[in-house]
Amino acid sequence: MLFRFALLLVCTLFTSVASAQTLVPRLILEEDFQDNHRNWPTGLINNAEYKVKRGEYVAKARGNENNTSVALLFIPELEKSQNFIIEAELSTTSAGCLAWGSGSRDNMRLFGTMSEHRFAVCGWRGGKFFSTNGDNAYSAAVGRQTSWHTMRIECRGPQVQYFVNGTRVWEQQLTRMLGHGLGLETNLGAEASLRHLRVWLLEPEPEPVAIPVTPEPKPAPVAAAEATDAAAALATPLRAGQRLALRNVFFVQGKPELLGTSKPELARLAKALNDQPALRIRLEGHTDNQGPEEKNQLLSEQRAQAIQAFLVKYGVAATRLETTGYGSSRPVAANDTETNRRRNRRVEFVILD
């Protein structure tokens, strides 16, 4: 009995430590349905016809019976994690859902909209049907039935949260996911479509990488226009008007490819932006004056874009990120020593609002 109690205590402590970890999103699937290279199910499935066309995955139910038809694509990465985010745009004429879990009634979950301008969370658990329909408080999130709606599912262990157009509309506790499919459901004679499907795994934040410090001569006084180092600022809430320099972000010499040592600081930036979803930023690339100006201008633009791509993969919406490059036109120090040139080779970001 004492051994069992000790084992239970260890498991409880382990679970508490794991749940306390900071999780950051990593994009594992991005599907715009321009073709069917992933082999999404097509043709007649149960009582609906499925096809990929013009950037959409479309299901058209036959007849008006309440006969659920669902088509799923197996996502192997979801088999290894209970922490993930699924997001897609959904449109339906009357009844359609984003489907996930298994294709059987052991564990099928559906999240969609209905003709009454409401959302629905329903499905089967262990062969039993469950359902909840949103009340009028969420009608603004769903809006007009004929439009596209952004459906988002955030799963962290047994806790699942549902969002429509950015508004959290439901939350529930569920046991372990059985089946690892993702797809589309329709019935009642409706037509339903998916587009812009994204899936992220939520993973522990990477440990900071120790960066070797090379002794340098004491630098000249910092110019007034030089941005504040982002490392300390990312530990506090960001605010509009801040200009911060990503001093712990490094690139391959003369190229826009990020080095692995850049990941910890960029992951912290992604987390800060995900924690403050209303903020928009502009990423600004800068170089020293070595080499042709045309090459420096292009390099500064490409490095800002490389950071934008990293942040998008970590869950930051691309619409919140602007990029630009200034080449060597905005130095913060004279380009007379390697120390000063290193200060000029930088990427800064500005909090727009």
Side-chain angles (χ1 to χ4, degrees), residues 214-220 337-340 342-343:
T214 303
E216 295 281 357
K218 186 176 180 180
T337 66
E338 178 55 27
T339 299
N340 283 340
R342 186 178 296 116
R343 289 165 60 194

Side-chain angles (χ1 to χ4, degrees), residues 22 35 118 209 338 341:
T22 299
D35 53 39
R118 299 186 181 197
V209 177
E338 178 55 27
R341 287 192 290 271

Side-chain angles (χ1 to χ4, degrees), residues 16-207:
S16 300
V17 171
S19 62
Q21 282 186 312
T22 299
L23 300 177
V24 295
R26 177 173 66 86
L27 186 68
I28 62 167
L29 186 144
E30 187 170 12
E31 176 62 89
D32 287 322
F33 301 109
Q34 297 301 322
D35 53 39
N36 196 15
H37 66 279
R38 288 194 174 90
N39 294 318
W40 288 88
T42 57
L44 184 62
I45 302 173
N46 294 331
N47 197 38
E49 189 78 25
Y50 287 83
K51 57 185 174 181
V52 175
K53 66 170 188 178
R54 297 191 300 275
E56 300 174 21
Y57 187 43
V58 182
K60 172 64 176 177
R62 294 185 174 184
N64 295 319
E65 298 84 7
N66 187 6
N67 185 3
T68 294
S69 298
V70 60
L72 297 173
L73 179 71
F74 179 65
I75 311 296
E77 291 88 348
L78 293 180
E79 195 171 19
K80 305 172 185 177
S81 176
Q82 287 297 293
N83 301 293
F84 53 85
I85 297 172
I86 300 169
E87 182 178 277
E89 293 183 25
L90 173 72
S91 178
T92 178
T93 56
S94 60
C97 292
L98 176 64
W100 57 297
S102 73
S104 71
R105 295 192 176 189
D106 291 331
N107 193 348
M108 182 195 300
R109 304 171 196 177
L110 308 173
F111 180 35
T113 59
M114 303 181 300
S115 56
E116 298 89 349
H117 298 179
R118 299 186 181 197
F119 71 90
V121 177
C122 55
W124 285 266
R125 289 191 301 249
K128 295 181 179 180
F129 184 75
F130 70 89
S131 176
T132 182
N133 297 326
D135 57 29
N136 291 331
Y138 301 113
S139 60
V142 176
R144 294 185 57 82
Q145 185 61 27
T146 55
S147 65
W148 289 90
H149 307 299
T150 300
M151 317 299 289
R152 184 179 177 96
I153 301 164
E154 295 191 6
C155 183
R156 291 172 172 81
Q159 183 183 48
V160 187
Q161 295 182 339
Y162 300 88
F163 298 79
V164 180
N165 300 332
T167 299
R168 187 174 67 179
V169 296
W170 196 256
E171 182 176 321
Q172 64 183 160
Q173 297 286 323
L174 294 176
T175 55
R176 180 172 177 81
M177 183 176 180
L178 300 176
H180 305 89
L182 181 60
L184 179 62
E185 178 273 347
T186 192
N187 62 12
L188 296 172
E191 181 173 312
S193 301
L194 284 182
R195 68 182 186 187
H196 302 317
L197 174 66
R198 306 289 184 270
V199 180
W200 294 267
L201 289 185
L202 297 173
E203 300 176 330
E205 184 177 18
E207 294 293 331

